[in-house]
Amino acid sequence: MTEPFRQPTPKSAPSTATILRRGSHSEVVRISSILRKETVGGAILLAATVAALIMANSGFADAYYSLRDYRIGYEPWHLELSLGAWAADGLLAIFFFLAGLELKREFVAGDLRSVSRAIVPVAAAVGGVIVPALIYVLINLDSGAETLRGWAIPTATDIAFAVAVLAVIGSKLPPALRIFLLTLAVVDDLLAITIIAFFYTDDISVLPLVLALVLIALFWMLTHKFSYFFGTRAWAAWLILLPLGFIVWALVHGSGVHATVAGVLLGFAVPVLRSKRGGGPNAGPGLAETLEHRIRPLSSGVAIPVFAFFSAGVTIGGADGLYRALTDPVAVGIVVALVVGKPIGVLLATFIVTKTTKAALDPDLSWIDVTGVAVLAGVGFTVSLLISELAFGQGSPHDDHAKVAILVGSLLAALLATVILRLRNRHYGRIAEKEAIDSDDDGIPDVYEPEQESKA
């Protein structure tokens, strides 16, 4: 007897991982709030930079440099520094403290606690550090050991400037790409401070460094037992934690390690989740998020603009001076690394992760979108200026040329990113309309609901 024909059972399609997919709705709301503050900070930063350049190239140049080089502080503690040094060593420590808080929160309580979500921006940040550094070295290979000290200058992304560019061009960049850009920038800031600690530290004094580590451990204990030690008396915490943080900063500064490293270490010491005594993780934001909300306006509105004001001022010397600056191999290496190397590094790392994990981009996005963000990541400024001063010495010819190159390279990257992202703005508008639909009026757009249900 002939057996009836049986339709072969279809094989289920292999599940494909998705990269740059939407995060949780709460995370999107939180990151959007952060980026709005960074937009304001970027505008203040731009104004401070323009003011510095105008003063350094006008009749106010002598007054500008006198103000930058005015020394103040307590010499017996090796803290009699110029105002420019106070801005670079002190105010930027606030910026890196914030970076430490943000990165730890992302990996402990944010969407990046998932390896599948974290691997792409982390890999992109690493690629965006390695490739620009290699390009700079290749261009300056025959220029001498001194010029090679600037290899790390084009490695960092300035998130405030990058977000300000998005605001100026009116880009409706989807939240997934904004989160990708923010995370990439925070991670490469961490990589940059690691580079500073290991490659731009000459002589280390062991005793101050050991004392700093002991006090960081004390800072960790006080913040993790916050409710036990301080209860609801937040003012008491500020009276103890703030001076303790300053002492740690002073000891790290005295050890010979760049003082901004203290900011990152203190940021990592702050707990992200509430303790059981404090009500547990579901009782509200932890200390890291609370400090982040309070310190971000100080960082983006004061610390970074003041640093930029004292660091970005360089006397160009007209068209001839600009030509001499941009033909210096140091400047050529920085401009090419920012405009070409940074996007290649970010794109290449993202592509490799995608192929090795057999993942795919979110269906709403394409590689041209990733390219636009990768080019925008070439907007380097704050940390690049800091590394330039550490590499060449503030006011040296190479430092002045490097600063001009940082400005020019960042401007070119911003203009190129503007062209790419504006071409996709209509598509981003359609994504925004879809992400705004909330058919059941529960406060969470429908596109996020499957994820909410999967977490339940």
Side-chain angles (χ1 to χ4, degrees):
M1 185 174 178
T2 306
E3 288 190 22
F5 175 78
R6 296 173 183 262
Q7 185 74 22
T9 304
K11 295 181 179 179
S12 58
S15 59
T16 303
T18 304
I19 65 171
L20 298 183
R21 65 187 186 273
R22 294 179 182 87
S24 64
H25 182 250
S26 59
E27 188 73 355
V28 168
V29 171
R30 189 181 74 85
I31 296 296
S32 297
S33 174
I34 289 175
L35 292 179
R36 280 194 295 272
K37 295 175 184 176
E38 292 291 354
T39 301
V40 176
I44 300 173
L45 177 59
L46 181 60
T49 302
V50 171
L53 288 170
I54 290 175
M55 290 189 70
N57 291 275
S58 67
F60 296 101
D62 290 341
Y64 170 78
Y65 290 120
S66 296
L67 179 64
R68 186 194 69 183
D69 297 334
Y70 181 77
R71 299 182 69 85
I72 188 172
Y74 190 57
E75 175 56 32
W77 291 356
H78 305 288
L79 291 178
E80 186 180 357
L81 309 173
S82 68
L83 292 179
W86 274 110
D89 293 1
L91 292 180
L92 277 194
I94 299 173
F95 166 75
F96 279 109
F97 177 74
L98 192 65
L101 288 176
E102 176 62 28
L103 193 62
K104 183 176 180 181
R105 191 199 178 284
E106 280 297 323
F107 283 102
V108 172
D111 283 352
L112 297 186
R113 66 186 182 277
S114 164
V115 175
S116 61
R117 284 189 179 276
I119 190 171
V120 176
V122 171
V126 172
V129 167
I130 292 175
V131 175
L134 288 176
I135 288 178
Y136 178 91
V137 169
L138 289 173
I139 291 174
N140 286 273
L141 205 54
D142 298 326
S143 301
E146 184 182 355
T147 60
L148 289 176
R149 281 184 56 82
W151 64 271
I153 293 173
T155 57
T157 299
D158 194 300
I159 189 61
F161 256 146
V163 174
V165 170
L166 293 177
V168 169
I169 67 177
S171 175
K172 299 175 182 177
L173 196 70
L177 289 175
R178 290 177 181 266
I179 292 173
F180 173 68
L181 178 63
L182 174 63
T183 308
L184 183 155
V186 172
V187 173
D188 73 14
D189 282 340
L190 177 63
L191 294 174
I193 201 66
T194 304
I195 290 169
I196 289 171
F198 282 96
F199 294 97
Y200 293 97
T201 299
D202 296 323
D203 299 319
I204 296 180
S205 181
V206 176
L207 181 59
L209 187 59
V210 171
L211 290 175
L213 293 175
V214 170
L215 292 182
I216 288 172
L218 176 61
F219 188 89
W220 181 92
M221 182 186 71
L222 291 174
T223 54
H224 277 72
K225 302 294 183 181
F226 187 87
S227 299
Y228 178 81
F229 284 108
F230 305 112
T232 58
R233 300 183 299 276
W235 57 270
W238 285 107
L239 288 178
I240 295 175
L241 294 178
L242 193 59
L244 184 59
F246 177 79
I247 294 171
V248 168
W249 174 87
L251 287 169
V252 172
H253 181 275
S255 73
V257 177
H258 198 268
T260 50
V261 174
V264 173
L265 296 177
L266 289 170
F268 283 161
V270 177
V272 171
L273 303 176
R274 282 176 175 260
S275 64
K276 291 182 179 179
R277 182 184 177 90
N282 297 322
L287 184 58
E289 188 172 349
T290 301
L291 290 177
E292 180 190 324
H293 284 310
R294 294 182 179 180
I295 293 174
R296 188 172 295 280
L298 176 63
S299 174
S300 59
V302 178
I304 298 177
V306 170
F307 166 75
F309 176 76
F310 285 121
S311 293
V314 54
T315 302
I316 297 174
D320 290 340
L322 183 62
Y323 175 79
R324 286 195 300 272
L326 293 179
T327 52
D328 184 343
V330 167
V332 174
I334 291 171
V335 172
V336 175
L338 286 175
V339 179
V340 178
K342 194 73 175 180
I344 288 177
V346 172
L347 274 172
L348 185 61
T350 305
F351 183 78
I352 290 173
V353 170
T354 303
K355 293 304 177 184
T356 54
T357 59
K358 298 181 179 179
L361 286 176
D362 186 280
D364 284 333
L365 303 175
S366 68
W367 282 103
I368 188 64
D369 303 314
V370 184
T371 301
V373 173
V375 172
L376 189 57
V379 177
F381 192 72
T382 306
V383 180
S384 295
L385 290 175
L386 172 62
I387 296 177
S388 175
E389 292 181 0
L390 295 176
F392 302 125
Q394 189 179 59
S396 67
H398 280 323
D399 180 43
D400 287 345
H401 296 168
K403 288 177 177 178
V404 172
I406 291 166
L407 293 169
V408 171
S410 298
L411 179 61
L412 290 175
L415 292 174
L416 186 55
T418 296
V419 173
I420 297 172
L421 297 177
R422 285 293 296 178
L423 290 174
R424 297 283 289 170
N425 222 26
R426 185 174 297 178
H427 175 68
Y428 298 153
R430 290 194 291 268
I431 295 176
E433 289 175 3
K434 181 167 69 172
E435 292 183 342
I437 297 173
D438 182 12
S439 56
D440 55 4
D441 295 322
D442 64 348
I444 300 175
D446 297 346
V447 292
Y448 296 102
E449 299 215 350
E451 183 170 353
Q452 298 296 321
E453 291 170 4
S454 66
K455 286 182 177 181

